[in-house]
Amino acid sequence: MIPPAFILVRPQMGENIGAAARAMLNFGLDRLRVVDPRDGWPNSRAVAMASGAGRLLETAGPYADVQAAIADCDFVFATTARGRDLTKPVMTPERAMEHARALAAAGKRVGVLFGPERAGLENGDVALAGALVTVPVNPGFPSLNLAQCVLLMGYEWRRQTGAVAPEVWQMARIDFASGIEVEKLGDHFEERLEAAGFFFPPDKAAGMKLALRNMWARLHLTRADVQTFHGMLRQIARRLP
């Protein structure tokens, strides 16, 4: 599956080109293309900002115009923050990269256009695209830095193509407590709380104990947590008359 080419159209600052390259490589993308950069090419500022992603600049062009940059693309997306008087589907980055993944999986080549920093893509550029991509930003301040927009699109591509769990537990070499360990901790707490007269009045005791058991189960305690609680209860029992 060929990942999409990210095409920077008439970028104005070498630093932004370099930052875009870094953002792309963060998410496993390396097909960068640069169209008619304002400050010429190669650009030493782009190289400096790209840091470890400098190899993307070596094959980035430059291309004379958008048509040349997308010549091998079967489908092109154009990123824009402005409404256009053109009849095209308008997608979120998530939906666009979902579609890009499906196209790439079918053997198609995909390109994504990013406009110059000051004014974005021109209508002539946008007309070459099959769909528009608009980030749902604050309508009162919709302008995104070029590298920021590249980063968002790269993130969505990675999220669509990589098996990334939405949540994981970082255990730091410590295991979760087993069910029996949590149960014994609950027994210990009940014993100490019973001795302290916590379960009062008597007709509410069963409900109070149930609530505590539910709390212990909900906390996802580690074995170290359980041992710490046992130690605290033993120390309190030793200090109380």
Side-chain angles (χ1 to χ4, degrees), residues 22-238:
R22 291 185 64 174
M24 288 177 62
L25 199 54
N26 281 150
F27 297 106
L29 294 164
D30 59 7
R31 300 179 65 225
L32 173 65
R33 298 177 182 180
V34 178
V35 175
D36 189 23
R38 183 190 66 182
D39 295 338
W41 199 260
N43 187 298
S44 59
R45 292 183 176 179
V47 173
M49 181 61 77
S51 187
R55 64 182 177 83
L56 273 66
L57 305 178
E58 296 172 5
T59 57
Y63 292 80
D65 52 38
V66 175
Q67 288 90 336
I70 66 172
D72 64 339
C73 295
D74 299 297
F75 193 91
V76 176
F77 296 93
T79 60
T80 177
R82 296 183 285 115
R84 306 282 182 160
D85 294 327
L86 298 168
T87 303
K88 294 181 186 291
V90 181
M91 303 181 182
T92 64
E94 179 181 17
R95 171 65 184 123
M97 291 300 94
E98 179 185 28
H99 188 39
R101 182 182 186 279
L103 290 167
K108 304 297 184 182
R109 291 176 177 264
V110 176
V112 183
L113 301 177
F114 299 86
E117 295 89 324
R118 185 167 59 184
L121 294 168
E122 297 177 359
N123 280 347
D125 305 319
V126 175
L128 300 173
L132 307 183
V133 184
T134 298
V135 179
V137 294
N138 173 11
F141 189 65
S143 177
L144 283 175
N145 174 272
L146 174 59
Q148 291 174 329
C149 191
V150 169
L151 183 76
L152 283 170
M153 297 297 287
Y155 167 75
E156 288 297 345
W157 168 260
R158 183 73 171 186
R159 201 166 68 86
Q160 293 293 332
T161 57
V164 181
E167 180 178 344
V168 296
W169 284 89
Q170 186 67 43
M171 295 306 297
R173 299 183 299 278
I174 296 175
D175 295 328
F176 279 120
S178 66
I180 190 64
E181 288 170 328
V182 174
E183 183 180 348
K184 289 186 178 299
L185 176 64
D187 293 340
H188 195 176
F189 257 94
E190 283 188 14
E191 177 187 345
R192 298 303 181 196
L193 292 172
E194 193 80 64
F198 177 77
F199 298 114
F200 183 85
D203 61 320
K204 298 286 183 68
M208 295 168 73
K209 291 178 181 180
L210 181 62
L212 284 172
R213 295 287 178 167
N214 183 51
M215 181 183 72
W216 298 128
R218 196 172 63 242
L219 290 178
H220 301 292
L221 298 171
T222 66
R223 285 179 171 170
D225 295 332
V226 169
Q227 292 167 1
T228 299
F229 275 122
H230 279 304
M232 291 163 59
L233 291 170
R234 285 193 290 269
Q235 186 66 16
I236 290 171
R238 279 195 291 266

